[in-house]
Each structure stands twice: as C-alpha cells, then as structure tokens.
Amino acid sequence: MADHAGMLDEKLDVNEEIVERTAARCRERDIIVPTFAQMKDPSLIPASIREELKGIGLWDVHPRNLFRITWKNDPETGGFGGVNVLEIPRELTGVKARIFGLVGKWFPTGAHKVGASFGCLVPRLVTGAFDPTRQKAVWPSTGNYCRGGAYVSRLLDVGAVAILPEEMSPERFRWLEEIGAEVFATPGCESNVKEIYDKCWELKAERGDDIVIFNQFAEFGNPLWHYEVTASAIAEVLDERLEGRERFWGLVSATGSAGTIGAGERLKELYPWSKVVAAEALQCPTLLRNGYGGHRIEGIGDKHVPWIHNVRNTDVVAAVDDAHPMALIRLFNEPAGRRVLVEAGVPEAFVEKLDLLGISGIGNLVAAIQVARYFELDEDDVIFTIFTDSMELYGSRLEEARAAEGPYTEERARLDLAVHLRHLDTAHVAELGHWDRRRIHNLKYFTWIEQQGMDIAELDAQWRDWRDYWPRHWRMAPVYDRMIEAFNARTGLLEGRG
Ligand SMILES: Cc1ncc(COP(=O)(O)O)c(C=O)c1O
C-alpha cells in the first residue's frame, strides 16, 4: 500500500484544481469543515453553528455534525459541555488508584473512531489528494473506523466503501448498510487484518484511481487526532479533578490501529514521568509474545503492529483475557449483576451508567486494574483509559451469551465479580525494556515491508531517528487547521456568520 499510505504529511503539495472542485461541492452541499482547534475547544465554533446544532440530533446525517467530532458533546442539551468522562469507583475496581475513562458513546456513530476517520480524510480533502467528485473513500477496519468513515463520507457527500471481517457484530453491518456504504465482509474475526489488506489490494487492482484507501493502520491523521483532541480532553480533566498529592500515572489504551494510544505521545510531553500502557487480548498476544490468535474483544489487537505505533514510547503491555470482558458485560448490564454490584457497595447512580462501557472499554478497565495491581499504585496515582464505544453496539453479544449460558443469576454475578474483577492477576503485565521495544518494532517489518510495500528506510527512521520522525507528524495539526480555514474561505460558507 505504499502508494496511498503514510507520508502525505511530509509533502503538503496542494492540487488547486481538485481543491477548487471539492470546495464547489462543499459550497453546494452546505458543508463547513471544523478545525482540530474547534474539536478540542468547541467554544471556538461560531455561535450560529452551535445554535444550529441544537436542532440536529447527535447521530443525524447532517453536515453540521462534523462539529460534533469532540469529547465534549452534551447529549442532554445538544450543545457542548465538559469532557465526557467517567470515574470508576474504588468499590468496583478494588484498587486504590483512581481510574478515569473518556466516554466515546456521545460521538456521532456512538464511538470515538469517527475522530480517526476525520483525521485521515480531511488532510487529503483540503490538499486535493482525494477528489470526492470522482473517487470513493475506502475504509478498512474491524468496525468502528469504517462506521466513522462511512458517516464522515456521508456528511461530506463522498462515496464510501467499508471493509470489515464477517464475524464482527451484526449491529455494525446493519448500520453500514443503512448509511449507504458499499460493504465487503472479509473472512475471519477481529484479528484477521491481513485479509482486510488483501481486499484493499484487490479493490485497488480492480478500480485503480477510482478509489483512495484510508488505511487507519498507516495514516498519521489517525494518531494525530488523538494527540490533539483526546490528549487535550484528558489533560483538561486532570487539571480539574486532581487533588492534593494526586498525580497522573499514565494512559492505558488497547491498540487496534494504535491511533488512540497516540494520545500518550502528547501526555508524555505534558507529564514526562507518565507511562503509556498498550493493552491487547491475551488470546492474541502480539505485543506480549509475538503471538497470534482469534479473540472476542472487538476493535483491538490485530496480529500485527500498526505502522503508526511509536513503540519507543510504549512502556508496558497488559494482555487481557477476553473471558473477563465477556463475563463483565453480563455483570454490568443484567439486572441480577447490577443488584449484586449495588449490594457490594458500588453507588447505584454509577451502576446505571455501566452500559457506557462497550467490550473493549471493559477490556481497558480490566487492563487498568491489572496495571494498578502490578505497580502497586496507591491513592495518589491516577490512571486514564478509554471507553471507545458503549453496549449500544453489542446487544447481540448479550443475547448470544444468554442463549449459550442461560439466565443470569445473582449467584453467577457474585462469582463473576470475584473472578473477573476482585481477583484479577498480574501475570500478563510486562514492563518493556529497550530490547522488548525493539522486538515489537521489528515485527513491523513482516507486515509493512514484506506484505504492504512500505519503505524500509522509513521503518528504520521510526526507530533510529525517533526523536525527529514522530514529532514531525505530531506538529501537523496547526498546519492542517490553517488549510481547513483556507478551504472554508473558498466555500464562502462562513462569511457573515457570528
Ligand atoms: C471498540 C474499539 N475499541 C478499541 C479500538 C482501538 O482503537 P485504536 O484503533 O485507536 O487503537 C477500536 C478501533 O477500531 C474499537 O473499535
């Protein structure tokens, strides 16, 4: 995929003719593009747009919803509020450290991955490296990224092709069909990403220049969005909520495309002592053991190391047995489970919010607890993690569990609470030394150089010139913002707006 992945950021050539055509189309369809700065701080959005949004539903297919690609949507008012965050009470985690998670449910599409899709598409749109009047956007993914991509494509009036494994939840497929994407189901489950790449190559061979592949595993717009927007949301919560001697310990983030973990790059700049923990499924322990395998934590761990993962900055790997989140979705969502949690002292008002955590969110929570235990963290330590999506996307998984295991009883709930939360062990937490990181970096060779045709000199630069290579990408948001502003000026749609 050397022709369409990766290094757009370096060149920034602008194809004036295509940009002009794209702007004309946006003018016609009333499409205004938000800046990274506005996604971080919605108070920078013109008041007239904020007012308009109050009459537009969170998931509506309306171009103004591009402005809702932010952690600060207020689902009650339709406006913007503080960062959507949940602190997990100690009565639930059983550890002394405070654990917070950003809540992704209130993004349009119900998952934060729409941010990654925006981050990958917009730089090409405003430079003319993608022509929406002629080309379709292809979104290879295990689910939420291609949902985000199909959604952003619809808002920008771009044709979309979604590629995802056939075993992903039926909710994802239904939704993609409804939004009008062309959908390809590839063989296998969550961790069959090679098959997704194969489909990309096949489509490229068939359709050539009629499509552009937005490969989230290799596009720097993906982690850049998290570097800017997600890290800023976390830092804001820390500023507001840290008390006394408390300090930020680190970010725990499962890696799928390794976009979200990009927030850790910025957090390390802001809190240089902090750690970045990559979580993955124990059944597919690629980072922990160069391992492979199928698993049930939808959205993460794909038997390879994404091109955009700065392994130099990952300090710890925590592998999560998928049996934990699969049991906990029942404990957290079945009435008997909730009764047992309240009986165990978890505040009722919090228990009612537990459906804000989807399967990978619960996986992240489990990883955070494992890490808190491993490092013997105490009351002064604060961990941040991410709840990418919510149970809204996994109703079918609960139904399957009910059919396979029968009704959920309080007895079963007490057992699950003990086994899958209270007695989590730390056997699969590993601190990374220099050669552990090098081992993980080296794995990129097989996927990216041998299979996908990326440049070995660039792979070497990721390791040897890491001090320059990664920050060069992280500095791009203000550049894109200026281009977005110039693009909006071309459409003229912001003129006269307050
Ligand atoms: C539900 C879910 N959780 C976690 C992730 C992993 O996030 P990232 O791709 O940013 O590493 C994804 C990615 O698609 C996801 O869909």
Side-chain angles (χ1 to χ4, degrees), residues 136-267:
K136 273 190 165 188
V138 180
W139 305 98
S141 151
T142 54
N144 280 328
Y145 172 75
C146 66
R147 287 173 64 252
Y151 183 79
V152 171
S153 301
R154 260 299 284 281
L155 302 195
L156 289 163
D157 203 20
V158 166
V161 181
I163 305 178
L164 70 168
E166 62 193 357
E167 290 173 30
M168 304 312 290
S169 71
E171 285 89 336
R172 283 167 161 79
F173 283 98
R174 264 200 305 276
W175 190 90
L176 283 164
E177 269 154 31
E178 278 165 22
I179 203 148
E182 192 182 344
V183 180
F184 291 96
T186 49
C189 69
E190 176 50 56
S191 56
N192 289 76
V193 167
K194 164 74 165 54
E195 290 75 359
I196 298 175
Y197 291 149
D198 291 347
K199 188 74 202 175
C200 288
W201 284 113
E202 196 186 308
L203 282 180
K204 196 74 193 154
E206 276 169 21
R207 304 192 190 181
D209 192 36
D210 293 344
I211 56 170
V212 172
I213 295 170
F214 292 91
N215 182 351
Q216 60 165 335
F217 303 93
E219 294 274 344
F220 283 90
N222 172 10
L224 176 64
W225 188 84
H226 292 285
Y227 175 94
E228 283 294 314
V229 184
T230 302
S232 152
I234 291 173
E236 221 176 291
V237 176
L238 289 171
D239 274 353
E240 281 166 14
R241 308 275 285 263
L242 286 193
E243 288 167 10
R245 286 158 36 102
E246 289 172 354
R247 72 175 198 164
F248 176 52
W249 181 85
L251 174 73
V252 174
S253 176
T255 58
S257 66
T260 313
I261 205 167
E265 302 279 314
R266 177 76 186 127
L267 292 170

